[in-house]
Amino acid sequence: MTKAYSRFLAAFFCLFLGGLLVWHVLMPDRARSETENRTLAQRPELTWSALADGSFTKAAEDYFADQFPLRDGWTGVKARAELLLGKREFNNVYLCGDTLIAKVNPPLDGLEDRNLDCVRRMAERTEIPVYLALVPSAAEVWREKLPAGAESWDQAAFISRAAELEGVEPVDVLGALRARAEEDIFYRTDHHWTTLGAYYGYAVLMEALGRGEEVLEPEAAKERDLLVSNGFQGTLYSQSGIHWLEPDSIEFWVEDRGLSVISWRDGAPEETGLYDSDYLGEKDKYSAFLGGSQPLCVIRNEAGTGRLMLVRDSYADSLAPFLARHFEEVHLLDLRYYRGSPAAYAQEHGVDGIVVLQSVPNLITDRNLALLSQ
């Protein structure tokens, strides 16, 4: 390599870095990355105390990384380069052909057992029947799709242990999903189950509730035009940097005709619906089911019978429309936002059954489930 060529490369590299720095300075900061589905770090405030304790340096590093020009494109290039080197795990997400599957890490500090004990203690506190419907993630149901040697916590063993809880009726969601593992029961770019997967979860729950005869076969259960979006790029798409897979499709099966849906998003009741189609134009399309996260939602159907309460996470959002066909009232409490006692709520509203419907990855990490024992 000649001295002139070395100087040229050094000058080119300096110009490249300088150009990126100027671009970064001139370009307005972004508040959020829709591709990564998260809030981005903003310019930190320079103070003596922040310099002294090192927090300014860390905040500045996060700021420059998040606001780097063309960040979304660079993350995709990085993932492709790592793929060529044989990597199959990207930020706790496995690339399994045309499907992304989230790795489930072992729970910390025995939280999973404490949360199960909270379910048991809630059952002790009330005479209302309590059911536990644990939804395994794709890492368990589609374990054979994982790369060779890929690690993921044993959800099946945990579900078997949970089935032995005294005073709690288990719902075999794992068995229902395993029996249909060849079908599209999970999204390929998101951690949730599809509407078809939610249907199978609903069907096995209805059997556990003693109302299995009311469940229609899948084709007969579809009341409306199914496809509402074919551009869903979910949480695993955002988390992994794998941005070249085909988007998922989202389907709505149940008509909301004849139903009343009341949501408490901001502490006050408001009339909503089974679906919020505004989300279909946003990155978080899964929130179109019931309008996404909220402390409390009540679905009423005058033609239904019985009152059911779900202590739920987001997996229940796509399952609840099926239950709304059968029950006079379906109450959905999310303990990440609802701070009261579920047992007291169920007693106050004359609920006939309490279902703790949680994905396994949520139940083993959510510290808010301690409220179950109140």
Side-chain angles (χ1 to χ4, degrees), residues 9-25 64 68-69 74:
L9 286 181
F12 177 79
F13 186 66
C14 290
L15 285 172
F16 176 73
L17 292 180
L20 287 177
L21 178 60
V22 171
W23 191 353
H24 178 88
V25 171
F64 279 104
F68 194 83
W74 286 114

Side-chain angles (χ1 to χ4, degrees), residues 12 16 18 40 52 87 90 108 151 160-161 164 182 188 195 207 234 245 290 301 308 358 367 370:
F12 177 79
F16 176 73
L40 299 177
K87 185 174 182 179
F90 303 84
L108 300 174
E151 296 180 354
S160 295
R161 193 162 80 248
E164 299 174 359
E182 298 303 315
R188 293 178 300 99
T195 304
E207 290 178 10
L245 300 184
L290 289 184
N301 178 2
L308 189 68
Q358 300 277 321
R367 299 188 182 276

Side-chain angles (χ1 to χ4, degrees), residues 50-96:
L51 276 174
D53 64 16
S55 60
F56 176 81
T57 304
K58 177 63 169 65
E61 181 181 340
D62 293 341
Y63 167 69
F64 279 104
D66 278 6
Q67 301 296 340
F68 194 83
L70 301 177
R71 173 185 168 84
D72 292 343
W74 286 114
T75 56
V77 170
K78 176 177 179 289
R80 283 187 179 275
E82 291 175 335
L83 181 64
L84 290 175
L85 295 174
K87 185 174 182 179
R88 290 297 180 270
E89 181 184 344
F90 303 84
N91 197 20
N92 267 356
V93 177
Y94 293 118
L95 176 61
C96 310

Side-chain angles (χ1 to χ4, degrees), residues 6 16 51 70-71 84 100 115 119 129 132 136 140 149 153 159 163 175 189 279 299 316 336:
S6 297
F16 176 73
L51 276 174
L70 301 177
R71 173 185 168 84
L84 290 175
L100 298 173
N115 282 345
V119 176
L132 179 59
E140 188 64 48
W153 189 65
I159 291 173
T189 68
Y279 280 102
I299 308 171
R336 293 171 294 181

Side-chain angles (χ1 to χ4, degrees), residues 20 49 70-72 91 94 104 106 141 156 163-164 279 283 302 319 322 330 351 366 371:
L20 287 177
S49 60
L70 301 177
R71 173 185 168 84
D72 292 343
N91 197 20
Y94 293 118
V104 178
V141 180
E164 299 174 359
Y279 280 102
K283 175 69 170 61
E302 293 184 357
L319 180 145
F322 294 111
V330 178
V351 165
D366 190 351
L371 291 168

Side-chain angles (χ1 to χ4, degrees), residues 262-341:
I262 306 296
S263 295
W264 280 257
R265 301 181 188 279
D266 303 310
E270 60 174 321
E271 189 170 347
T272 56
L274 287 183
Y275 313 106
D276 186 342
S277 295
D278 288 346
Y279 280 102
L280 296 176
E282 300 183 11
K283 175 69 170 61
D284 184 16
K285 291 178 171 56
Y286 185 80
S287 287
F289 293 102
L290 289 184
S293 299
Q294 51 193 290
L296 173 64
C297 179
V298 179
I299 308 171
R300 293 187 173 91
N301 178 2
E302 293 184 357
T305 57
R307 297 177 180 177
L308 189 68
M309 187 182 85
L310 269 62
V311 180
R312 56 93 169 199
D313 62 12
S314 55
Y315 276 69
D317 294 351
S318 52
L319 180 145
F322 294 111
L323 295 175
R325 291 169 160 171
H326 306 280
F327 290 89
E328 177 186 358
E329 293 181 1
V330 178
H331 298 251
L332 298 110
L333 276 66
D334 191 329
L335 297 186
R336 293 171 294 181
Y337 315 101
Y338 183 87
R339 310 311 299 170
S341 163

